[in-house]
Amino acid sequence: MSLGILCSRIRVEEKLLFAELDRRGVQYERIDDGDLIFDLQRTTFPFDVVLERSISFGRSLYALQVLEARGVACINRADVVAICGDKLRTTEALIRSGVPTPRTLLAFTTESALEAIERLGYPAVLKPVVGSWGRMITRINDRDAAEAVLEQLDVLGSWQQHVYYIQEHIAKPGRDIRAFVVGDEPICAIYRYSDHWITNTARGGRAENCPVDGAVGDLALRAAQAVGGGVLAIDLLETSDGRLLVNEVNHTMEFRNSIDTTGVNIPARIVDYVVAEQRTKNRAHRG
């Protein structure tokens, strides 16, 4: 059975995964999505299992679709990536599964977007439907800011930025939670602290261990199952009245700042899952 790792930029996370595979003697091959050429007339591909680690949403989504059509088992699956890479689809999946998430409104013109923001009340949060690392997310504190941001997007934005995804603002207690789910198990979680309202560690947030037992792990697992499961990171928000809400689900997560913090060897747990998937596919081949 052959294993491929679909990559674009090799980050710390990919190096840790390669090191874990090497340590175990697991044979694999790096697949650079920038070098890929798919001959769509061919019905096979020289890998049985592919672990998706590309940071390009578009490349990974289409590559996974082609691979799955040729019988390759992909982690994560293309349908999971399609949902997690699109905030609207993620929200819809969470709502369908009864997973609590911030109230969200969708609009398609600046006029209706302004009305939606005022319906939610200030501050509100405007997000691009596709994006990561907290980029292009805007907290809108008043009508003047709303009009300025919407006018700018109307003039300069792409068609995706004219899909106005607007969420209620949750007053976080200076932190949010990122929980990691591998398969059917929430393996660890961190608090992400920041003086800024965006708490991503990629934007300077500070990580501390968060117990994953109980409500945090239960909700993270429900969110992972809502989008189709796999290897995922779930972002949770704590409300002032003690509720937990699922903010986002990430399909190609970074975890470099969470290994020492939690004491959990995250790359090893991911490799455990990949190897188990390989064995399952191998048994299926043998019939």
Side-chain angles (χ1 to χ4, degrees), residues 211-225:
V212 77
D213 295 334
V216 168
D218 292 345
L219 185 57
L221 181 57
R222 287 175 58 198
Q225 292 170 338

Side-chain angles (χ1 to χ4, degrees), residues 85-267:
D86 184 314
K87 292 181 177 61
L88 171 62
R89 295 191 64 179
T90 302
T91 299
E92 290 277 82
L94 295 173
I95 291 172
R96 277 197 302 274
S97 297
V99 176
T101 187
R103 186 184 178 203
T104 303
L105 303 181
L106 189 73
F108 301 108
T109 65
T110 55
E111 294 79 9
S112 59
L114 182 59
E115 182 179 337
I117 291 168
E118 300 231 307
R119 192 180 298 177
L120 284 176
Y122 297 102
V125 179
L126 178 64
K127 298 180 178 181
V129 287
V130 175
S132 57
W133 296 316
R135 291 178 299 198
M136 300 294 291
I137 293 179
T138 306
R139 183 171 64 182
I140 297 177
N141 294 320
D142 55 35
R143 185 180 178 98
D144 286 346
E147 290 177 340
V149 170
L150 293 172
E151 180 181 2
Q152 189 173 33
L153 288 175
D154 187 47
V155 173
L156 300 176
S158 66
W159 69 268
Q160 287 177 327
Q161 289 168 311
H162 298 162
V163 178
Y164 300 100
Y165 175 98
I166 304 156
Q167 270 188 341
E168 67 170 319
H169 176 263
I170 304 298
K172 297 185 286 189
R175 69 186 188 190
D176 67 4
I177 298 170
R178 168 159 286 194
F180 298 88
V181 175
V182 177
D184 293 327
E185 185 181 0
I187 61 169
C188 60
I190 59 170
Y191 291 116
R192 302 187 298 185
Y193 288 90
S194 176
D195 294 332
H196 194 276
W197 72 280
I198 296 176
T199 49
N200 297 42
T201 53
R203 301 273 298 266
R206 175 174 52 86
E208 287 187 8
N209 184 51
C210 170
V212 77
D213 295 334
V216 168
D218 292 345
L219 185 57
L221 181 57
R222 287 175 58 198
Q225 292 170 338
V227 302
V231 178
L232 299 163
I234 319 299
D235 294 343
L236 307 175
L237 302 175
E238 302 164 281
T239 67
S240 57
D241 58 359
R243 292 174 295 134
L244 286 172
L245 305 176
V246 175
N247 190 34
E248 294 185 4
V249 183
N250 305 274
H251 61 88
T252 312
M253 76 274 198
E254 296 179 341
F255 48 77
R256 72 190 71 173
N257 297 316
S258 303
I259 300 170
D260 292 340
T261 306
T262 63
V264 174
N265 189 336
I266 297 173

Side-chain angles (χ1 to χ4, degrees), residues 8-23:
S8 46
R9 184 192 309 166
I10 304 301
R11 301 167 292 179
V12 172
E13 285 74 14
E14 284 69 49
K15 292 177 181 176
L16 291 169
L17 288 167
F18 297 153
E20 183 63 24
L21 290 164
D22 290 338
R23 187 184 69 79

